[in-house]
Amino acid sequence: APNDVTEPDKTPSCFARTHLDSPTRETWTRQMDFMMSCVGFAVGLGNVWRFPYLCYKNGGGKTCFTPEVVDFQLFFTEFVLGLGFASMVIVFFCNTYYIMVLAWGFYYFIKSFSSTLPWSTCDNPWNTENCIEIFRHGDCLNGTIGNSTFGNLTCEELANGRSPIIEFWENKVLNISDGLDEPGAMNWEMLLCLMAVWVMVYFCVWKGVKSTGKIVYFTATFPYVVLIILLVRGVTLPGAYDGIMYYVKPNWSKLGEAQVWIDAGTQIFFSYAIGLGALTALGSYNRFNNDCYKDAFVLAFINSGTSFFSGFVVFSILGFMASEQGVDISKVAESGPGLAFIAYPKAVSMMPVAPVWAALFFIMLLLLGLDSQFVGVEGFVTGILDLFPGKYYMRYQREIAVAICCLLCFIIDISMVTQGGMYVFQLFDYYSASGMTLLWQAFWECVVVAWVYGADRFMDDIARMIGYRPFPWMKWCWSFITPCVCMGIFLFHLLNYKPLTYNNVYVYPWWGEVIGWCMALSSMLCIPVSFVYKLSGAKGTFRERWEILTKPVWGAHHLEYMAPDTDIKSLASLSPGTEENKVIIFESVM
């Protein structure tokens, strides 16, 4: 971790330094704590919310697995590299908007405690005259159809029917306005839910990994139990087979669209938490010689498997909804971020004792998001604290730093609990912490490793940590495959850029896009700006400056944990002990 301060006596980074006057960095109590924390962070709402809605949007699921191999080596790379300014900006934005999904889930959880689920009926104040509880277009005979709530409806009227689940989401939870320029009134119920989840996050993070390492044992495993139960229920519903076939048989014509590749690539990045710095923060509490290569394989399998599995749960429910309404599955629900708050509530409403299942599901959704959120906050706070030398250490500095971080994000989040909040949320989701920013980050991450520091050199450093060299294909991924894929998709996106829309209907105004690009550039520019600043501040010729700024610094504590066959003398020669010898490019990229 090439930060100005990295004070563990057992750090995983190849490029760390120490300050002898710093307090000892805490470590995981046991290795399983680290693994469960990584599972809790990487396996989250991106698997059960973002992945299904992107598959639904793009006509199937297989296209979302295309960049999987490329992303694994980045996943592994972030276990052994350091945290930098670009990552910190991205993870800050992610922490800010990601928690809104938790707030929505907490709101649904509270509303589940009623004898009749509020999203299952059409007799609520927020429902419209087009709300229909149960209907089938196939039963539309002789121009009329019976409905228990609204009596007889014509087929034309039936075509405009809307599910009470969708109306609860749009009219009650969001109370959505007509656009970004109409923020509207504050939703006080959602504000209280937002405040509650931020309080939960704070008390999960404030004491560090000793406590969070225990919490994730429950938060990371319980969601799987609920997903299995929902799948069993989902596949027994009529129409589930059609929904699953829609999921596993993608629309190949979509592969010619740039946005499909952007969505597929960035979903993998988002799901694996690449470029967010949180994996680095978790890895920084490991022993120096921890086998992070093996850990990366296990966690990658769990992550992708969870995404694929959750897709079956969602699409079995979408197939049922399509069967019920007599329409094609591609038209059964809006393909926006709220898909999980449409398909999943429908599933639980069809179960016996629906309120119990609803409460169980939404507590699962809350737990899925919580462990991802508090690890993201942990990553940001770790980066901030590591910027300050040990001489500035003070009592309760972690608790204070976490409180400031949570409060600042909460203030920004207030804009997302207004009537126009969903437009703000999607602006953050599209520009700040996904898409081009992650592709840009990953591109430079590989370029620096392979071509500035040296892929062979980096492989040697990894071997010193874990005791053996990774497969050679890792080197080729760093050097050629991943940079080309990342930059190719990045350029593909720029050449085919289209204005941001909400539900394929509302087009964002020009000034909204300007705000979005400012958020994207705030992290992307960290890399070139930091590089130019540090290079101009160094002394000597350009060649001398380059050598100084790219030379690793090994601390004495690293030498104690080297593999037995390591040439200690050669490692010692890499440790001049001067503060100027920072791996500055890693600082800006990672």
Side-chain angles (χ1 to χ4, degrees), residues 528-576:
V529 169
S530 179
F531 170 72
V532 172
Y533 172 75
K534 294 296 184 179
L535 192 65
S536 62
K539 298 179 181 180
T541 64
F542 179 84
R543 184 182 182 87
E544 292 172 341
R545 297 180 186 186
W546 183 268
E547 291 180 353
I548 291 175
L549 294 174
T550 58
K551 182 177 295 184
V553 179
W554 291 90
H557 57 288
H558 291 144
L559 305 181
E560 299 176 7
Y561 294 95
M562 296 297 179
D565 59 347
T566 303
D567 184 355
I568 302 298
K569 293 183 179 179
S570 67
L571 295 178
S573 66
L574 296 177
S575 184

Short mmCIF file of all heavy atoms in Angstrom, two decimals, residues 528-576:
data_model
loop_
_atom_site.label_atom_id
_atom_site.label_comp_id
_atom_site.label_asym_id
_atom_site.label_seq_id
_atom_site.Cartn_x
_atom_site.Cartn_y
_atom_site.Cartn_z
N PRO A 528 -3.69 11.60 -13.85
CA PRO A 528 -2.71 12.45 -14.51
C PRO A 528 -2.26 13.64 -13.68
O PRO A 528 -1.09 14.03 -13.72
CB PRO A 528 -3.44 12.90 -15.79
CG PRO A 528 -4.88 12.77 -15.48
CD PRO A 528 -5.00 11.60 -14.57
N VAL A 529 -3.18 14.24 -12.90
CA VAL A 529 -2.82 15.41 -12.10
C VAL A 529 -1.80 15.04 -11.03
O VAL A 529 -0.80 15.75 -10.83
CB VAL A 529 -4.08 16.05 -11.47
CG1 VAL A 529 -3.70 17.09 -10.43
CG2 VAL A 529 -4.95 16.67 -12.54
N SER A 530 -2.04 13.93 -10.33
CA SER A 530 -1.10 13.50 -9.30
C SER A 530 0.25 13.17 -9.89
O SER A 530 1.30 13.50 -9.33
CB SER A 530 -1.67 12.29 -8.56
OG SER A 530 -0.77 11.84 -7.57
N PHE A 531 0.25 12.52 -11.05
CA PHE A 531 1.51 12.16 -11.71
C PHE A 531 2.32 13.41 -12.08
O PHE A 531 3.52 13.50 -11.80
CB PHE A 531 1.21 11.32 -12.95
CG PHE A 531 2.41 11.10 -13.82
CD1 PHE A 531 3.43 10.25 -13.41
CD2 PHE A 531 2.53 11.73 -15.04
CE1 PHE A 531 4.54 10.04 -14.21
CE2 PHE A 531 3.63 11.54 -15.85
CZ PHE A 531 4.64 10.68 -15.44
N VAL A 532 1.66 14.37 -12.71
CA VAL A 532 2.35 15.60 -13.12
C VAL A 532 2.85 16.36 -11.91
O VAL A 532 3.98 16.88 -11.90
CB VAL A 532 1.42 16.47 -13.99
CG1 VAL A 532 2.05 17.84 -14.25
CG2 VAL A 532 1.10 15.78 -15.30
N TYR A 533 2.04 16.44 -10.87
CA TYR A 533 2.42 17.18 -9.67
C TYR A 533 3.65 16.58 -9.00
O TYR A 533 4.60 17.29 -8.64
CB TYR A 533 1.25 17.20 -8.69
CG TYR A 533 1.58 17.78 -7.34
CD1 TYR A 533 1.72 19.16 -7.16
CD2 TYR A 533 1.77 16.95 -6.23
CE1 TYR A 533 2.03 19.69 -5.92
CE2 TYR A 533 2.08 17.47 -5.00
CZ TYR A 533 2.21 18.84 -4.85
OH TYR A 533 2.53 19.37 -3.62
N LYS A 534 3.65 15.27 -8.82
CA LYS A 534 4.78 14.62 -8.16
C LYS A 534 6.04 14.65 -9.03
O LYS A 534 7.15 14.81 -8.52
CB LYS A 534 4.42 13.18 -7.80
CG LYS A 534 3.32 13.07 -6.76
CD LYS A 534 3.76 13.65 -5.42
CE LYS A 534 2.70 13.46 -4.36
NZ LYS A 534 3.13 14.00 -3.04
N LEU A 535 5.85 14.48 -10.32
CA LEU A 535 7.00 14.49 -11.22
C LEU A 535 7.65 15.87 -11.26
O LEU A 535 8.88 16.00 -11.27
CB LEU A 535 6.57 14.07 -12.63
CG LEU A 535 7.70 13.76 -13.62
CD1 LEU A 535 8.49 12.54 -13.16
CD2 LEU A 535 7.13 13.52 -15.02
N SER A 536 6.83 16.90 -11.26
CA SER A 536 7.38 18.26 -11.29
C SER A 536 8.02 18.65 -9.96
O SER A 536 8.90 19.52 -9.92
CB SER A 536 6.27 19.26 -11.64
OG SER A 536 5.24 19.23 -10.66
N GLY A 537 7.61 18.00 -8.88
CA GLY A 537 8.16 18.33 -7.56
C GLY A 537 9.42 17.59 -7.21
O GLY A 537 10.10 17.93 -6.23
N ALA A 538 9.75 16.54 -7.99
CA ALA A 538 10.98 15.78 -7.72
C ALA A 538 12.20 16.53 -8.25
O ALA A 538 12.09 17.49 -9.02
CB ALA A 538 10.88 14.40 -8.36
N LYS A 539 13.38 16.09 -7.86
CA LYS A 539 14.63 16.74 -8.25
C LYS A 539 15.39 15.88 -9.24
O LYS A 539 15.25 14.66 -9.27
CB LYS A 539 15.49 17.00 -7.02
CG LYS A 539 14.85 17.92 -5.99
CD LYS A 539 15.76 18.11 -4.78
CE LYS A 539 15.11 19.01 -3.74
NZ LYS A 539 15.96 19.21 -2.55
N GLY A 540 16.23 16.55 -10.05
CA GLY A 540 17.07 15.85 -11.01
C GLY A 540 16.50 15.89 -12.41
O GLY A 540 15.51 16.59 -12.70
N THR A 541 17.14 15.15 -13.30
CA THR A 541 16.66 15.05 -14.67
C THR A 541 15.38 14.25 -14.71
O THR A 541 14.97 13.63 -13.73
CB THR A 541 17.72 14.38 -15.55
OG1 THR A 541 17.91 13.02 -15.10
CG2 THR A 541 19.05 15.13 -15.48
N PHE A 542 14.75 14.23 -15.88
CA PHE A 542 13.51 13.48 -16.02
C PHE A 542 13.74 12.01 -15.71
O PHE A 542 12.93 11.37 -15.03
CB PHE A 542 12.94 13.64 -17.43
CG PHE A 542 11.67 12.87 -17.66
CD1 PHE A 542 10.44 13.41 -17.29
CD2 PHE A 542 11.70 11.59 -18.21
CE1 PHE A 542 9.27 12.71 -17.49
CE2 PHE A 542 10.53 10.87 -18.41
CZ PHE A 542 9.31 11.44 -18.05
N ARG A 543 14.83 11.45 -16.20
CA ARG A 543 15.14 10.05 -15.97
C ARG A 543 15.35 9.77 -14.48
O ARG A 543 14.87 8.77 -13.94
CB ARG A 543 16.38 9.66 -16.75
CG ARG A 543 16.73 8.18 -16.64
CD ARG A 543 18.02 7.86 -17.41
NE ARG A 543 18.33 6.46 -17.34
CZ ARG A 543 17.87 5.53 -18.17
NH1 ARG A 543 17.04 5.90 -19.14
NH2 ARG A 543 18.20 4.27 -18.03
N GLU A 544 16.06 10.69 -13.79
CA GLU A 544 16.32 10.52 -12.37
C GLU A 544 15.02 10.63 -11.56
O GLU A 544 14.81 9.87 -10.61
CB GLU A 544 17.33 11.57 -11.89
CG GLU A 544 18.73 11.36 -12.45
CD GLU A 544 19.66 12.52 -12.12
OE1 GLU A 544 19.15 13.62 -11.79
OE2 GLU A 544 20.89 12.32 -12.20
N ARG A 545 14.18 11.57 -11.93
CA ARG A 545 12.90 11.71 -11.25
C ARG A 545 12.05 10.45 -11.43
O ARG A 545 11.41 9.97 -10.50
CB ARG A 545 12.13 12.91 -11.80
CG ARG A 545 12.82 14.25 -11.56
CD ARG A 545 11.98 15.38 -12.14
NE ARG A 545 12.68 16.66 -12.07
CZ ARG A 545 12.13 17.83 -12.40
NH1 ARG A 545 10.88 17.85 -12.81
NH2 ARG A 545 12.82 18.94 -12.31
N TRP A 546 12.04 9.95 -12.65
CA TRP A 546 11.25 8.75 -12.94
C TRP A 546 11.73 7.58 -12.10
O TRP A 546 10.92 6.82 -11.54
CB TRP A 546 11.35 8.43 -14.42
CG TRP A 546 10.52 7.26 -14.85
CD1 TRP A 546 10.89 5.96 -14.93
CD2 TRP A 546 9.15 7.30 -15.25
NE1 TRP A 546 9.86 5.17 -15.37
CE2 TRP A 546 8.77 5.96 -15.58
CE3 TRP A 546 8.20 8.31 -15.39
CZ2 TRP A 546 7.49 5.64 -16.01
CZ3 TRP A 546 6.93 7.97 -15.83
CH2 TRP A 546 6.58 6.66 -16.12
N GLU A 547 13.02 7.38 -12.01
CA GLU A 547 13.57 6.27 -11.24
C GLU A 547 13.26 6.41 -9.76
O GLU A 547 12.95 5.44 -9.08
CB GLU A 547 15.08 6.19 -11.46
CG GLU A 547 15.47 5.74 -12.86
CD GLU A 547 16.97 5.66 -13.04
OE1 GLU A 547 17.69 6.09 -12.10
OE2 GLU A 547 17.43 5.19 -14.10
N ILE A 548 13.35 7.63 -9.25
CA ILE A 548 13.06 7.86 -7.83
C ILE A 548 11.60 7.57 -7.51
O ILE A 548 11.27 6.90 -6.52
CB ILE A 548 13.41 9.30 -7.43
CG1 ILE A 548 14.93 9.50 -7.46
CG2 ILE A 548 12.86 9.63 -6.04
CD1 ILE A 548 15.35 10.94 -7.20
N LEU A 549 10.71 8.05 -8.37
CA LEU A 549 9.28 7.95 -8.09
C LEU A 549 8.71 6.55 -8.34
O LEU A 549 7.59 6.26 -7.92
CB LEU A 549 8.50 8.96 -8.94
CG LEU A 549 8.78 10.43 -8.61
CD1 LEU A 549 8.06 11.33 -9.59
CD2 LEU A 549 8.36 10.75 -7.19
N THR A 550 9.45 5.69 -9.03
CA THR A 550 8.93 4.35 -9.32
C THR A 550 9.72 3.26 -8.62
O THR A 550 9.55 2.07 -8.92
CB THR A 550 8.95 4.08 -10.84
OG1 THR A 550 10.30 4.23 -11.33
CG2 THR A 550 8.04 5.03 -11.57
N LYS A 551 10.58 3.62 -7.69
CA LYS A 551 11.37 2.63 -6.96
C LYS A 551 10.63 2.20 -5.70
O LYS A 551 10.23 3.04 -4.89
CB LYS A 551 12.74 3.18 -6.60
CG LYS A 551 13.64 2.17 -5.89
CD LYS A 551 15.02 2.75 -5.63
CE LYS A 551 15.75 3.03 -6.93
NZ LYS A 551 17.13 3.49 -6.68
N PRO A 552 10.41 0.90 -5.49
CA PRO A 552 9.70 0.44 -4.29
C PRO A 552 10.55 0.58 -3.05
O PRO A 552 11.78 0.60 -3.11
CB PRO A 552 9.42 -1.03 -4.60
CG PRO A 552 10.53 -1.43 -5.50
CD PRO A 552 10.85 -0.22 -6.35
N VAL A 553 9.90 0.66 -1.94
CA VAL A 553 10.58 0.76 -0.65
C VAL A 553 10.12 -0.41 0.22
O VAL A 553 8.95 -0.51 0.57
CB VAL A 553 10.25 2.10 0.05
CG1 VAL A 553 10.95 2.17 1.40
CG2 VAL A 553 10.67 3.27 -0.83
N TRP A 554 11.06 -1.27 0.59
CA TRP A 554 10.75 -2.40 1.47
C TRP A 554 11.12 -2.03 2.90
O TRP A 554 12.23 -1.56 3.16
CB TRP A 554 11.54 -3.64 1.06
CG TRP A 554 11.10 -4.23 -0.25
CD1 TRP A 554 11.58 -3.93 -1.48
CD2 TRP A 554 10.09 -5.20 -0.44
NE1 TRP A 554 10.93 -4.65 -2.44
CE2 TRP A 554 10.00 -5.46 -1.83
CE3 TRP A 554 9.22 -5.90 0.42
CZ2 TRP A 554 9.11 -6.36 -2.37
CZ3 TRP A 554 8.34 -6.81 -0.13
CH2 TRP A 554 8.28 -7.03 -1.50
N GLY A 555 10.23 -2.27 3.80
CA GLY A 555 10.51 -2.03 5.21
C GLY A 555 11.14 -3.24 5.85
O GLY A 555 11.08 -4.36 5.34
N ALA A 556 11.76 -3.02 7.01
CA ALA A 556 12.39 -4.14 7.71
C ALA A 556 11.37 -5.20 8.10
O ALA A 556 11.69 -6.40 8.13
CB ALA A 556 13.12 -3.62 8.95
N HIS A 557 10.15 -4.77 8.41
CA HIS A 557 9.12 -5.73 8.80
C HIS A 557 8.72 -6.63 7.64
O HIS A 557 8.21 -7.72 7.84
CB HIS A 557 7.89 -4.98 9.33
CG HIS A 557 7.31 -4.02 8.35
ND1 HIS A 557 7.93 -2.84 8.03
CD2 HIS A 557 6.18 -4.07 7.62
CE1 HIS A 557 7.19 -2.19 7.15
NE2 HIS A 557 6.14 -2.91 6.87
N HIS A 558 8.92 -6.17 6.39
CA HIS A 558 8.64 -7.01 5.24
C HIS A 558 9.63 -8.16 5.16
O HIS A 558 9.27 -9.29 4.83
CB HIS A 558 8.71 -6.20 3.95
CG HIS A 558 7.62 -5.20 3.81
ND1 HIS A 558 7.81 -3.97 3.23
CD2 HIS A 558 6.32 -5.24 4.18
CE1 HIS A 558 6.68 -3.29 3.24
NE2 HIS A 558 5.76 -4.05 3.82
N LEU A 559 10.89 -7.86 5.42
CA LEU A 559 11.94 -8.86 5.28
C LEU A 559 11.72 -10.04 6.21
O LEU A 559 12.16 -11.15 5.92
CB LEU A 559 13.30 -8.22 5.54
CG LEU A 559 13.65 -6.99 4.68
CD1 LEU A 559 15.03 -6.48 5.04
CD2 LEU A 559 13.57 -7.32 3.20
N GLU A 560 11.06 -9.81 7.33
CA GLU A 560 10.83 -10.89 8.29
C GLU A 560 9.87 -11.94 7.76
O GLU A 560 9.86 -13.08 8.22
CB GLU A 560 10.27 -10.31 9.59
CG GLU A 560 11.21 -9.31 10.27
CD GLU A 560 10.56 -8.69 11.49
OE1 GLU A 560 9.46 -9.15 11.85
OE2 GLU A 560 11.13 -7.75 12.06
N TYR A 561 9.03 -11.55 6.78
CA TYR A 561 7.99 -12.45 6.31
C TYR A 561 8.21 -12.93 4.88
O TYR A 561 7.30 -13.44 4.25
CB TYR A 561 6.62 -11.75 6.41
CG TYR A 561 6.23 -11.47 7.82
CD1 TYR A 561 6.49 -10.23 8.40
CD2 TYR A 561 5.61 -12.45 8.60
CE1 TYR A 561 6.14 -9.98 9.71
CE2 TYR A 561 5.27 -12.21 9.91
CZ TYR A 561 5.53 -10.96 10.46
OH TYR A 561 5.19 -10.71 11.76
N MET A 562 9.41 -12.74 4.37
CA MET A 562 9.70 -13.19 3.02
C MET A 562 9.74 -14.73 2.98
O MET A 562 9.98 -15.40 3.98
CB MET A 562 11.05 -12.65 2.54
CG MET A 562 11.09 -11.13 2.41
SD MET A 562 9.91 -10.58 1.17
CE MET A 562 10.18 -8.81 1.29
N ALA A 563 9.52 -15.26 1.77
CA ALA A 563 9.66 -16.71 1.59
C ALA A 563 11.09 -17.10 1.91
O ALA A 563 12.03 -16.34 1.68
CB ALA A 563 9.31 -17.10 0.14
N PRO A 564 11.32 -18.32 2.43
CA PRO A 564 12.64 -18.72 2.89
C PRO A 564 13.73 -18.62 1.83
O PRO A 564 14.88 -18.33 2.15
CB PRO A 564 12.43 -20.18 3.31
CG PRO A 564 10.98 -20.25 3.65
CD PRO A 564 10.29 -19.33 2.69
N ASP A 565 13.39 -18.87 0.56
CA ASP A 565 14.41 -18.88 -0.47
C ASP A 565 14.66 -17.52 -1.08
O ASP A 565 15.32 -17.38 -2.09
CB ASP A 565 14.05 -19.88 -1.57
CG ASP A 565 12.71 -19.55 -2.21
OD1 ASP A 565 11.99 -18.72 -1.63
OD2 ASP A 565 12.41 -20.11 -3.27
N THR A 566 14.10 -16.48 -0.50
CA THR A 566 14.26 -15.13 -1.05
C THR A 566 15.67 -14.61 -0.77
O THR A 566 16.20 -14.79 0.32
CB THR A 566 13.23 -14.17 -0.43
OG1 THR A 566 11.94 -14.69 -0.66
CG2 THR A 566 13.36 -12.79 -1.04
N ASP A 567 16.21 -13.92 -1.73
CA ASP A 567 17.52 -13.30 -1.56
C ASP A 567 17.34 -12.02 -0.75
O ASP A 567 16.95 -10.99 -1.28
CB ASP A 567 18.14 -13.00 -2.92
CG ASP A 567 19.54 -12.45 -2.81
OD1 ASP A 567 20.02 -12.22 -1.68
OD2 ASP A 567 20.16 -12.25 -3.86
N ILE A 568 17.61 -12.08 0.55
CA ILE A 568 17.38 -10.95 1.43
C ILE A 568 18.24 -9.75 1.03
O ILE A 568 17.81 -8.60 1.11
CB ILE A 568 17.66 -11.33 2.89
CG1 ILE A 568 16.75 -12.50 3.30
CG2 ILE A 568 17.43 -10.15 3.81
CD1 ILE A 568 15.29 -12.19 3.23
N LYS A 569 19.44 -10.03 0.57
CA LYS A 569 20.32 -8.92 0.21
C LYS A 569 19.75 -8.12 -0.95
O LYS A 569 19.82 -6.89 -0.98
CB LYS A 569 21.70 -9.43 -0.14
CG LYS A 569 22.45 -10.04 1.04
CD LYS A 569 23.84 -10.47 0.64
CE LYS A 569 24.60 -11.05 1.84
NZ LYS A 569 25.96 -11.49 1.45
N SER A 570 19.19 -8.82 -1.92
CA SER A 570 18.62 -8.10 -3.05
C SER A 570 17.41 -7.29 -2.63
O SER A 570 17.14 -6.22 -3.17
CB SER A 570 18.22 -9.08 -4.16
OG SER A 570 17.14 -9.91 -3.73
N LEU A 571 16.66 -7.78 -1.66
CA LEU A 571 15.51 -7.02 -1.17
C LEU A 571 15.98 -5.81 -0.37
O LEU A 571 15.41 -4.73 -0.48
CB LEU A 571 14.63 -7.91 -0.29
CG LEU A 571 13.96 -9.09 -0.99
CD1 LEU A 571 13.17 -9.91 0.01
CD2 LEU A 571 13.08 -8.61 -2.11
N ALA A 572 16.99 -6.01 0.42
CA ALA A 572 17.49 -4.90 1.22
C ALA A 572 18.00 -3.77 0.36
O ALA A 572 17.91 -2.60 0.72
CB ALA A 572 18.60 -5.40 2.15
N SER A 573 18.55 -4.10 -0.82
CA SER A 573 19.06 -3.06 -1.71
C SER A 573 17.96 -2.20 -2.27
O SER A 573 18.21 -1.11 -2.80
CB SER A 573 19.84 -3.71 -2.86
OG SER A 573 18.96 -4.47 -3.68
N LEU A 574 16.72 -2.68 -2.19
CA LEU A 574 15.59 -1.90 -2.68
C LEU A 574 15.02 -0.98 -1.63
O LEU A 574 14.00 -0.36 -1.84
CB LEU A 574 14.48 -2.85 -3.15
CG LEU A 574 14.81 -3.75 -4.34
CD1 LEU A 574 13.63 -4.69 -4.61
CD2 LEU A 574 15.13 -2.93 -5.57
N SER A 575 15.69 -0.89 -0.48
CA SER A 575 15.13 -0.11 0.63
C SER A 575 16.06 1.01 1.05
O SER A 575 16.75 0.92 2.06
CB SER A 575 14.84 -1.04 1.82
OG SER A 575 14.23 -0.31 2.85
N PRO A 576 16.14 2.12 0.24
CA PRO A 576 17.03 3.21 0.58
C PRO A 576 16.60 3.98 1.79
O PRO A 576 17.40 4.72 2.36
CB PRO A 576 16.99 4.08 -0.69
CG PRO A 576 15.65 3.79 -1.28
CD PRO A 576 15.37 2.35 -0.98
#
